[in-house]
Amino acid sequence: MSTLEYTISLLETMPEEKLREIQNYIQYIIFRDDAAKPFKPLSEEELVTQLTESMKKSDMGVTTPADVVSQRMREKYAL
């Protein structure tokens, strides 16, 4: 099952109240003040520059193993 299929399945079985909470949170993220947004919109040039740099780091092996990333996310978000 793909991530998209899993997400759709999860949303289809979720109670209406929880769906409204998710919808409200998404609207909050989209429509809040720019100063409060964690990421600024990037121009195409900025995006290409960041992606190129990221690919170079990956090619050099400057990465974090997936299990370490997962553990950090579980700790940070209490998953």
Side-chain angles (χ1 to χ4, degrees), residues 19-44:
L19 288 172
R20 277 193 298 278
E21 286 179 30
I22 292 170
Q23 192 174 42
N24 290 339
Y25 182 69
I26 291 170
Q27 288 176 352
Y28 163 75
I29 291 172
I30 292 171
F31 298 113
R32 66 186 168 175
D33 293 337
D34 284 342
K37 290 182 182 177
F39 305 104
K40 67 173 186 138
L42 300 176
S43 69
E44 182 177 347

Side-chain angles (χ1 to χ4, degrees), residues 41-63:
L42 300 176
S43 69
E44 182 177 347
E45 183 179 327
E46 291 171 317
L47 181 60
V48 169
T49 299
Q50 286 190 12
L51 289 173
T52 302
E53 183 179 322
S54 180
M55 288 187 295
K56 285 179 185 175
K57 287 180 180 179
S58 178
D59 290 344
M60 294 181 343
V62 183
T63 60

Side-chain angles (χ1 to χ4, degrees), residues 8-15:
I8 290 171
S9 170
L10 184 66
L11 290 171
E12 288 174 339
T13 60
M14 193 171 288

